[in-house]
Amino acid sequence: MPSEIIKNLQWRYATKKFDPNKKLSDDQVTVLKAAFNLTATSYGLQPLRMLVISDDKIKEQLPPITMKQLQVRDASHVLVFCVEETISQQFVRDHFNRVEEIRNTDRKILDDYEDYLLDYFSNKNEAEIRDWITKQAYLAMGNLLTVCAAEGIDSCPMEGFEPDKYDELLQLKDLGLRSVLVMPVGFRAEDDMFASMKKVRRGIGDVVIDLD
Ligand SMILES: Cc1cc2nc3c(=O)[nH]c(=O)nc-3n(C[C@H](O)[C@H](O)[C@H](O)COP(=O)(O)O)c2cc1C
């Protein structure tokens, strides 16, 4: 008997056709926002922001810059996973300020770790930081894919879009951000033929190596 979460993961699929008339409730959107914020990130720095688009006028402009994929027009909401353009010293300090405040931790206990991270990021070049930061966005999307499945919300993870054009349309540069991934969420259309297709996966024995 498969566990509930495995059944949920079998149920989910990369939705190709959303029902434009079915909308997420406010509570469902609230769950997705909270789950995004609870995503684990490297060092806990959360160099991420998530744009939640529900405005039809914006959604209608997305297919031409999303490889003509209509999910971004028809889904109830479109989530855009964004990353900070860079990690400033202040960004790292703000994190430790939060730790101090929320956990009431003596700053002296945090000092060494804070200095280590300030040093760590100041020694990385732009490409290395970009690489690290982009991985954090993939983690967030992975987390939300599972949360959507558990909540009975359909979704489609997407790399097939033009990040520069999204950044321009959504004025992300003004927020010091760039888009990395897109995920329309909502409810599958009744005639989405992909919903009933069997999952194509390698065998568990082919992907998992047990070292007994
Ligand atoms: C990072 C990533 C990017 C993807 N980009 C797209 C995309 O642009 N359009 C799309 O229809 N599906 C996209 N997919 C969906 C995959 O093709 C799909 O997850 C995979 O074939 C497995 O099928 P399933 O998710 O339905 O089980 C993407 C998936 C991932 C993880």
Side-chain angles (χ1 to χ4, degrees), residues 158-211:
M158 282 189 171
E159 275 174 331
F161 73 106
E162 295 178 67
D164 290 346
K165 295 197 175 153
Y166 265 63
D167 296 356
E168 199 184 319
L169 175 72
L170 304 168
Q171 299 177 332
L172 295 177
K173 262 213 168 103
D174 297 349
L175 299 172
L177 300 172
R178 62 183 182 82
S179 56
V180 171
L181 289 161
V182 173
M183 190 167 115
V185 290
F187 300 97
R188 61 190 71 177
E190 270 175 28
D191 61 346
D192 185 359
M193 60 185 223
F194 286 87
S196 56
M197 285 184 184
K198 282 192 173 163
K199 285 236 169 281
V200 179
R201 293 295 191 270
R202 296 163 69 188
I204 293 177
D206 296 328
V207 295
V208 178
I209 303 168
D210 282 315
L211 295 180

Side-chain angles (χ1 to χ4, degrees), residues 24 29 32-33 50-55 77-80 185:
L24 295 182
V29 175
L32 297 185
K33 290 176 182 175
M50 180 173 76
L51 231 71
V52 182
I53 306 174
S54 56
D55 184 338
H77 290 65
V78 177
L79 310 180
V80 183
V185 290

Side-chain angles (χ1 to χ4, degrees), residues 12-14 16 69 71 138 156-160 199 201:
R12 73 145 291 282
Y13 72 108
K16 303 294 176 195
Q69 302 188 82
Q71 297 102 310
Y138 277 79
C156 185
M158 282 189 171
E159 275 174 331
K199 285 236 169 281
R201 293 295 191 270

Side-chain angles (χ1 to χ4, degrees), residues 37-63:
N37 197 37
L38 285 169
T39 298
T41 54
S42 182
Y43 307 114
L45 283 178
Q46 294 185 282
L48 306 173
R49 305 279 289 272
M50 180 173 76
L51 231 71
V52 182
I53 306 174
S54 56
D55 184 338
D56 285 337
K57 282 192 210 88
I58 300 178
K59 284 192 288 172
E60 274 158 20
Q61 296 176 64
L62 297 178

